[in-house]
Structure formats: structure tokens, C-alpha cells
Amino acid sequence: MAGYNYAKFISDFGGRTLENIQVIDDLRAKDIAGNKKSKEEIEKEHHEVTQLINSLFGMIIVPYEKYKFRYYERESANSISEHDLKRTSGYLLIVQEIVDLEKKGKLYNNYNDHYIVGSFIKHLRNALAHSGDHGLHFTPVNQKKVINSIIFYDCDGPYEFCVELSVNRVRKLIPLIFNMYKEIEDIKEVDDLAAYNKDVESKRRLMSTDNDWARRLARNIDPNKGR
């Protein structure tokens, strides 16, 4: 695999993610054109929804953690606000998707959110990050049937966010979100390569320091226990 452009990491990472989706799509299209397999067989073989969910993890969590959403106040050079999002060409397209979801009874949010796109992505990020704690639900709940939608759920005390995205909607949102973050990355200052390499070396020096953590704990493990 070719190396990433560290100064344009989101662009590189996102672009490769979209290419991976296209590979799966091309394989599915080839099988569909061959007309030798059922839809269920094709979906089971190519794991389209799994690829889309993995892509969502990459397209939402990775850039979100690099460019922290801070509403209207920036806390660091990399933090972004709704103003920054509004400067991107696809902002209104994402707004339209969100509004359409609410109109169709597929979105609920009683958080005190005042910023539509940044908050929407933040809650998707939380649902993905906490997917093992009821953050994600796949429908229909039947292993023999093809998944057609994913429910994303985020909560904090009395506050709840819930949205149901069809597989087609996920397909539509992934490139929109990618292009938005790509444009944000394009207007940010380019990182300093020397400083980046210095940081890499500092991490390597840290790892080379012998602190005996894993070996110390491993010595206390009885391999016969739990058998």
C-alpha cells in the first residue's frame, strides 16, 4: 500500500475509502449482470452493508477526531465550527438530507443542539463509537434477510438522538461528508513535516523505554485457570 500524504490525510484516507466501496459495487454489479445468484447470495458474499459501516467509521470518526467540532468557538487550530462547515460546497446538501429524514419520521433529537450539520455528525460519531452499547441497530432483524437500514442512537441522561438511515441514504451521505471534510482540510494550514517526523520519533523513543508493563502482568497469569 502506498503511503499517505500526511498533510492531506483526510483526502487520501477518504478517497481510498470511496475506492474500496467502488470495488465492492463493481463485484456486485458483475454478479448481478451474470444473473446466476440471488440477491441474498450476492449480499452475503460481498458484505455491502459491512463495507458501508466500516466506511462510515472512517468518514465520520477519523475526521471528527482530527477536526473537533466546537460549535461557533474555536479552541485550537484544528477545531472547526458550523461557520466552517457552511463554507463548504456540500453543506446545504447535507442539511437537505437531515431535514428530509425528520420530515419522513426517521429522525428524533431533543438535545439542546443549535447547529444542524455539526451536531448531526457528532451524534452519528457517538453512535458509532458506542455501537456495542445499543448505538447501532440493523434492520430487519433476520439473518436470512438483506439489511436495508441502520438505526443510530445517542443518549446522555434525558437527551436522545435517533436516526434511521437506509442503505441508500448511507451511500449518499458518505461522499457528501467526505467532500465536506476534504474542503475543510484544503483550507487548513499545512502541517510542518519536520515537526511531524519529530513527533513520530518521540513516540518511537517512548516505546523503546522499558517499563515492563505487559511482561509484569503476564507473569501473574496462570495459564491453567479458566480451562
Side-chain angles (χ1 to χ4, degrees), residues 126-225:
N126 291 347
L128 286 163
H130 301 286
S131 55
D133 189 25
H134 307 294
L136 294 182
H137 298 78
F138 300 91
T139 64
V141 187
N142 187 325
Q143 289 186 339
K144 294 183 179 181
K145 293 194 175 181
V146 176
I147 295 170
N148 55 44
S149 69
I150 307 114
I151 295 174
F152 299 79
Y153 179 72
D154 182 29
C155 69
D156 184 9
Y159 301 111
E160 294 178 290
F161 169 93
C162 192
V163 63
E164 182 171 5
L165 301 180
S166 67
V167 170
N168 287 335
R169 183 90 68 167
V170 173
R171 283 179 159 279
K172 192 173 182 180
L173 281 172
I174 287 174
L176 288 176
I177 293 171
F178 162 64
N179 287 324
M180 183 178 69
Y181 276 115
K182 182 178 181 295
E183 289 183 38
I184 288 171
E185 185 175 57
D186 288 341
I187 64 175
K188 291 289 181 181
E189 292 183 7
V190 176
D191 295 329
D192 180 53
L193 180 57
Y196 183 88
N197 285 330
K198 184 177 180 181
D199 193 38
V200 169
E201 290 307 315
S202 71
K203 300 301 187 296
R204 286 177 172 159
R205 285 195 298 272
L206 181 63
M207 291 183 289
S208 67
T209 302
D210 189 2
N211 67 346
D212 199 33
W213 167 72
R215 285 166 290 174
R216 174 171 47 81
L217 293 178
R219 284 194 292 268
N220 296 325
I221 297 175
D222 184 347
N224 296 315
K225 286 184 178 180

Side-chain angles (χ1 to χ4, degrees), residues 52-197:
L52 288 175
I53 290 298
N54 284 333
S55 299
L56 261 186
F57 269 94
M59 286 291 88
I60 289 181
I61 293 181
V62 172
Y64 182 88
E65 295 304 319
K66 181 174 182 179
Y67 298 116
K68 293 286 190 180
F69 180 66
R70 302 297 185 190
Y71 299 102
Y72 271 75
E73 295 182 9
R74 294 190 180 94
E75 296 184 7
S76 68
N78 277 341
S79 63
I80 59 174
S81 69
E82 193 80 7
H83 279 312
D84 296 312
L85 303 184
K86 285 180 179 178
R87 295 170 62 186
T88 63
S89 59
Y91 176 83
L92 290 179
L93 293 176
I94 299 176
V95 169
Q96 290 169 7
E97 290 294 316
I98 298 170
V99 171
D100 186 58
L101 285 163
E102 187 176 69
K103 284 182 178 179
K104 292 179 177 177
K106 300 293 184 179
L107 170 65
Y108 174 82
N109 184 11
N110 70 341
Y111 278 81
N112 294 320
D113 291 332
H114 302 289
Y115 313 109
I116 183 168
V117 173
S119 298
F120 181 78
I121 290 176
K122 177 189 71 175
H123 292 303
L124 287 184
R125 178 264 174 210
N126 291 347
L128 286 163
H130 301 286
S131 55
D133 189 25
H134 307 294
L136 294 182
H137 298 78
F138 300 91
T139 64
V141 187
N142 187 325
Q143 289 186 339
K144 294 183 179 181
K145 293 194 175 181
V146 176
I147 295 170
N148 55 44
S149 69
I150 307 114
I151 295 174
F152 299 79
Y153 179 72
D154 182 29
C155 69
D156 184 9
Y159 301 111
E160 294 178 290
F161 169 93
C162 192
V163 63
E164 182 171 5
L165 301 180
S166 67
V167 170
N168 287 335
R169 183 90 68 167
V170 173
R171 283 179 159 279
K172 192 173 182 180
L173 281 172
I174 287 174
L176 288 176
I177 293 171
F178 162 64
N179 287 324
M180 183 178 69
Y181 276 115
K182 182 178 181 295
E183 289 183 38
I184 288 171
E185 185 175 57
D186 288 341
I187 64 175
K188 291 289 181 181
E189 292 183 7
V190 176
D191 295 329
D192 180 53
L193 180 57
Y196 183 88
N197 285 330

Side-chain angles (χ1 to χ4, degrees), residues 12 14-26 51:
D12 261 10
R16 297 181 194 200
T17 299
L18 294 181
E19 288 172 6
N20 284 348
I21 293 175
Q22 189 60 52
V23 168
I24 298 293
D25 287 348
D26 290 345
Q51 178 62 46

